[in-house]
Amino acid sequence: MTIDHLNPPTGLIADNVIGFARALRAAGLPVGPGAVIDALNALQVIDIGKRADVFTTLEAIFVKRHEHALVFAQAFDLFFRAAEEWKHLLDSVPLPDQAKRKPPPASRRVQEAMARPAMSEAQEKPEEQEIKLSVSDREVLQKKDFAQMSAAEIAQVTRAIAAMSLPQAELRTRRTQPDKRGLKLDLRRTLRGSLRTGGDIIDIRRLGLIDKPAPIVALLDISGSMSEYTRLFLHFLHAITDARKRVSVFLFGTRLTNVTRALRARDPDEALASCSSSVEDWAGGTRISASLHTFNKLWGRRVLGQGAIVLLISDGLEREADARLTFEMDRLHRSCRRLIWLNPLLRFDGFEAKAQGIKMMLPHVDEFRPVHNLSSIEGLIKALSAVPPAHHRSLIRPAA
Amino acid sequence: MTATSAFPTSVDATLELLTARGYLAERSLATVVFLALKMGRPLFLEGEAGVGKTEIAKVLSAALGRKLIRLQCYEGLDVASAVYEWNSASQMIAIRLAEAVGDTDRDQLSSDIFAERYLIKRPLLQALEPDVAGAPVLLIDELDRADEAFEAYLLEILSDFQVTIPELGTVKAPAPPIVIVTSNRTREIHDALKRRCLYHWVDYPSAERELAIVKSRVPGISAKLSQQVVSFVQALRDQDFYKSPGVAETIDWATALTELDARSLTPQVVGDTLGALLKYQDDIARMQGDNLQKVLKEATSDS
């Protein structure tokens, strides 16, 4: 198929490419102005009569992640089937960034601060919200179940979580840096140093290996049964993401969603909002084994490679508890350095692993911890900072 | 004439060039290769292991008559092993010699010691050097294995094609090398790096193309067997495996089968040689028994 509207005057090509880039941006692809110039240059060197070549060329420039390829293909199809109509459409519709712009998160908080939100008022007396929590209240808060907290208390906890100092359990990398007590000889700096004295006295310089915080991968269950906890956990994960470089966060209910990028937004409210907008199955059912399967297959090798610690946050109430669950849990366990299962159900004193799903998952975790109040999160942070048990320090695990 | 005259002048010519060297590429791949050559931009190839990402660099260097410089990435890769290093042992000897002859002019010694002849050039620096045959092909293989710090270092090299050595000054390439970067996606590569490159996802080939690849790479294979091999492998890719077989595995398997004098696929032969295709015990276990029979039946029915 030949594209007539691309052949005639050059001005039209430029218009089309710019319009197309705008359409892609509206569809969520990060297309910068540099890419548009690249595209125009590239179109000058290929035969633009061939639709497939134009497609590949533009794809090579505009698409930088495999996930975007499908969106690109659809946009290309739509756009270059009826470029003129599309152009009109773009003219009449307000620009995406203006149309979609959310109120800045800070202003929302200001508004909330001025007028208390209606949603939680039914449950609590207004005067309680005004009182600043005293030290003893703080102690109560430590033990209080997240599920029973009022809005004000949740806000308090959120702040407490953000203020917690985060674990820095470190892994040795293979990169080096100058280190007086290092084991490797830094010949280059030694030589440079000795030249200063005319080559006489050799002051030995050394290199040591750099330690880096271990990557953390969190898998958070957002099914209906976990709904009272998810928001706070997201705050916790946001706080971790903010403090560290290598944190990946996945949400799962009936399907798995990677929200790492969404959580990177500095402001917690903005991060959580963009997180929830990227998830389609919020507070729905649970399919742990299917979600773990997706994770193991698509993401495991990409995010667990560098000795990651996995936080699996779930109540383990799985409907389809079968051999597949065991298999996926086992695989997850074998591909990470340490698998910590955080389960809010553990808050009940006489908790016993009776549910089939929990029974199947338990043998494959390194640690099983409660996570339902502030002190349990603090406990978790301590556990994360601790030096992992000796057999976990080696990246090569004994066969399970 | 400049070396650029050797570059193909159209997508079709690029396709021909690759085919002539035994690389049967999809048209889309030929298009991005052509663009990368024409625009002088690095080409970033992503895709599953064994789909021919590395091979394209080898074929390009052979076809264009350029030197191939390969940088295999690994965790901990640093400037000393990727760009340059000083030959400290030789430098040390030079210092001792200077001492022995009583030459103690420090500045002189310093400039003698940090001269180019004591410089050990690693792949990235080699790629920036002028070459009579034209700028070399630089293959930065499996970038996802290197750590982020190295990736950030590459940004400067890939956009300006220059390296700064504090003691010597800046080395700038007279002509930008043809850069191919590959990644198996064991880790995400930063967008900043991808932005400087043309990006292409290398997919598994279609059955038709894979058949052509097998025929050209495994001479002496019978038409029937090659047909069955390709159908079987294509069927395996539809299954939910942790690691689907790539083209490299198809070629390995076809070679293995011809070595065993297999005429056609039988459950026995497939079961014995499955390790050439599948590399995970879990995957192999899933293919035993009924599942194997079923896939095999489908693969052999249409030949």
Side-chain angles (χ1 to χ4, degrees):
Chain A
M1 180 187 148
T2 20
I3 312 155
D4 307 338
H5 52 263
L6 267 184
N7 265 327
T10 29
L12 198 54
I13 296 186
D15 280 356
N16 271 326
V17 171
I18 293 167
F20 183 50
R22 271 170 68 187
L24 287 177
R25 237 171 269 149
L29 263 63
V31 175
V36 176
I37 296 166
D38 276 352
L40 288 172
N41 286 335
L43 287 180
Q44 276 167 16
V45 298
I46 63 155
D47 174 12
I48 56 172
K50 287 209 173 69
R51 185 186 163 90
D53 289 1
V54 172
F55 178 88
T56 318
T57 302
L58 292 181
E59 190 187 28
I61 289 160
F62 289 140
V63 177
K64 299 295 175 195
R65 304 174 74 80
H66 184 49
E67 295 83 54
H68 293 154
L70 188 68
V71 177
F72 175 86
Q74 287 168 350
F76 184 86
D77 212 36
L78 260 170
F79 193 87
F80 289 108
R81 187 180 291 160
E84 289 309 304
E85 284 171 38
W86 183 267
K87 216 161 146 271
H88 272 289
L89 224 99
L90 274 179
D91 289 340
S92 58
V93 173
L95 284 176
D97 48 343
Q98 285 160 359
K100 274 194 189 164
R101 184 170 290 165
K102 290 167 286 190
S107 82
R108 201 172 65 213
R109 277 204 297 276
V110 173
Q111 280 168 16
E112 276 179 10
M114 304 296 256
R116 285 276 164 191
M119 53 176 229
S120 56
E121 266 175 351
Q123 305 157 2
E124 53 202 347
K125 300 184 195 95
E127 60 264 33
E128 271 180 4
Q129 293 175 355
E130 305 303 326
I131 303 166
K132 215 178 163 210
L133 292 180
S134 66
V135 179
S136 60
D137 285 337
R138 205 176 283 262
E139 268 169 25
V140 175
L141 210 58
Q142 290 278 329
K143 297 274 177 268
K144 195 158 187 178
D145 197 310
F146 289 147
Q148 292 151 11
M149 282 181 179
S150 69
E153 285 169 333
I154 287 180
Q156 184 83 2
V157 170
T158 310
R159 272 198 295 279
I161 287 176
M164 282 176 186
S165 62
L166 290 150
Q168 294 292 327
E170 291 191 323
L171 278 185
R172 184 133 292 184
T173 67
R174 295 195 179 96
R175 292 195 140 251
T176 54
Q177 65 185 3
D179 179 356
K180 274 185 187 151
R181 285 173 297 168
L183 291 174
K184 285 171 85 174
L185 195 60
D186 187 351
L187 269 176
R188 181 172 167 197
R189 285 196 320 133
T190 304
L191 256 177
R192 282 203 70 83
S194 76
L195 277 180
R196 245 167 258 141
T197 54
D200 265 354
I201 303 156
I202 293 194
D203 176 19
I204 303 282
R205 309 289 178 94
R206 293 173 182 281
L207 288 171
L209 294 172
I210 300 177
D211 288 340
K212 253 200 318 196
I216 289 185
V217 176
L219 297 165
L220 173 59
D221 187 341
I222 49 160
S223 61
S225 54
M226 291 282 291
S227 60
E228 284 152 326
Y229 298 96
T230 37
R231 206 178 156 78
L232 276 168
F233 290 153
L234 276 174
H235 268 292
F236 170 64
L237 294 173
H238 177 263
I240 299 189
T241 313
D242 204 32
R244 289 191 174 217
K245 253 189 168 173
R246 296 189 293 171
V247 178
S248 315
V249 181
F250 296 82
L251 305 184
F252 70 93
T254 51
R255 54 203 283 179
L256 187 83
T257 319
N258 183 354
V259 293
T260 309
R261 287 203 166 215
L263 276 184
R264 288 238 176 266
R266 261 294 150 88
D267 188 277
D269 286 343
E270 189 187 333
L272 262 60
S274 80
C275 213
S276 56
S277 67
S278 58
V279 173
E280 288 171 27
D281 56 341
W282 203 271
T286 331
R287 286 172 68 216
I288 301 178
S289 76
S291 303
L292 286 182
H293 176 74
T294 317
F295 176 80
N296 283 335
K297 189 171 155 71
L298 296 181
W299 294 99
R301 265 172 293 183
R302 282 153 77 183
V303 296
L304 298 179
Q306 302 96 15
I309 298 173
V310 174
L311 302 179
L312 175 64
I313 311 173
S314 168
D315 51 16
L317 299 178
E318 165 75 313
R319 282 177 301 159
E320 312 160 339
D322 53 16
R324 275 183 54 210
L325 182 60
T326 319
F327 178 82
E328 300 298 346
M329 276 302 285
D330 180 44
R331 174 167 281 272
L332 179 65
H333 187 208
R334 278 188 288 135
S335 33
C336 67
R337 197 165 58 99
R338 199 163 163 221
L339 176 54
I340 304 177
W341 183 7
L342 308 172
N343 191 336
L345 286 183
L346 276 190
R347 70 185 183 276
F348 300 120
D349 283 342
F351 174 81
E352 276 179 62
K354 278 193 188 135
Q356 190 61 21
I358 299 181
K359 269 195 208 160
M360 296 181 115
M361 286 160 78
L362 260 185
H364 303 287
V365 298
D366 295 315
E367 261 179 80
F368 191 43
R369 305 184 66 90
V371 60
H372 58 282
N373 59 21
L374 209 48
S375 69
S376 60
I377 286 200
E378 275 173 359
L380 165 69
I381 287 179
K382 279 212 191 78
L384 282 180
S385 327
V387 179
H391 72 277
H392 290 303
R393 300 218 65 160
S394 145
L395 292 179
I396 304 157
R397 304 172 57 98
Chain B
M1 277 307 275
T2 53
T4 29
S5 61
F7 283 177
T9 49
S10 69
V11 177
D12 293 298
T14 315
L15 203 55
E16 270 170 37
L17 187 81
L18 296 175
T19 312
R21 291 278 164 174
Y23 192 99
L24 306 172
E26 304 276 345
R27 190 179 171 86
S28 56
L29 181 59
T31 309
V32 288
V33 168
F34 169 67
L35 277 175
L37 293 176
K38 195 85 185 175
M39 296 169 73
R41 294 283 287 270
L43 180 57
F44 190 100
L45 297 178
E46 236 176 9
E48 299 296 333
V51 288
K53 300 187 294 295
T54 303
E55 194 65 23
I56 192 90
K58 294 184 185 165
V59 170
L60 260 187
S61 87
L64 298 173
R66 306 296 180 91
K67 198 160 77 181
L68 175 69
I69 296 171
R70 176 174 181 161
L71 175 67
Q72 172 66 49
C73 298
Y74 54 87
E75 199 206 330
L77 179 66
D78 58 2
V79 173
S81 35
V83 193
Y84 71 93
E85 200 170 9
W86 289 103
N87 188 345
S88 307
S90 301
Q91 285 176 321
M92 213 84 86
I93 293 170
I95 294 175
R96 304 303 297 173
L97 278 176
E99 273 176 1
V101 296
D103 182 4
T104 48
D105 181 357
R106 267 194 253 169
D107 292 341
Q108 184 58 42
L109 188 60
S110 171
S111 63
D112 283 352
I113 292 300
F114 291 105
E116 211 179 323
R117 64 195 172 114
Y118 294 114
L119 194 66
I120 303 172
K121 290 167 187 160
R122 302 293 190 198
L124 289 182
L125 189 57
Q126 286 171 19
L128 301 182
E129 302 228 290
D131 193 272
V132 277
V137 174
L138 170 64
L139 168 65
I140 301 173
D141 215 6
E142 305 190 6
L143 180 61
D144 49 336
R145 287 179 189 277
D147 32 18
E148 291 93 341
F150 181 72
E151 212 180 294
Y153 183 82
L154 267 188
L155 287 179
E156 185 199 346
I157 295 192
L158 289 189
S159 48
D160 302 334
F161 298 109
Q162 65 175 36
V163 165
T164 305
I165 304 171
E167 297 88 350
L168 273 183
T170 303
V171 179
K172 191 166 169 56
I178 302 160
V179 184
I180 310 269
V181 185
T182 75
S183 158
N184 289 336
R185 286 222 301 180
T186 58
R187 164 174 88 73
E188 282 305 337
I189 302 297
H190 201 279
D191 289 352
L193 194 124
K194 288 180 167 180
R195 220 175 47 232
R196 286 164 170 79
C197 307
L198 295 171
Y199 174 87
H200 186 70
W201 174 262
V202 187
D203 223 332
Y204 294 119
S206 62
E208 193 187 3
R209 192 167 305 276
E210 190 158 26
L211 189 61
I213 294 171
V214 168
K215 280 181 177 160
S216 86
R217 298 297 291 272
V218 189
I221 191 168
S222 74
K224 186 180 168 197
L225 184 61
S226 57
Q227 176 74 50
Q228 287 184 347
V229 162
V230 170
S231 311
F232 187 79
V233 171
Q234 295 262 336
L236 282 195
R237 290 199 190 117
D238 291 337
Q239 301 255 328
D240 204 6
F241 287 132
Y242 277 100
K243 171 72 190 81
S244 290
V247 185
E249 277 83 25
T250 314
I251 296 170
D252 280 353
W253 194 44
T255 314
L257 290 172
T258 46
E259 289 293 325
L260 292 171
D261 280 333
R263 292 291 161 137
S264 67
L265 295 184
T266 61
Q268 177 68 36
V269 159
V270 175
D272 290 348
T273 53
L274 213 50
L277 280 181
L278 300 174
K279 307 293 160 114
Y280 279 84
Q281 178 53 31
D282 297 337
D283 289 348
I284 294 178
R286 283 190 55 196
M287 269 316 282
Q288 241 106 50
D290 291 350
N291 202 7
L292 190 139
Q293 300 275 4
K294 202 175 118 242
V295 178
L296 190 58
K297 207 174 158 201
E298 280 165 22
T300 48
S301 62
D302 43 64
S303 60

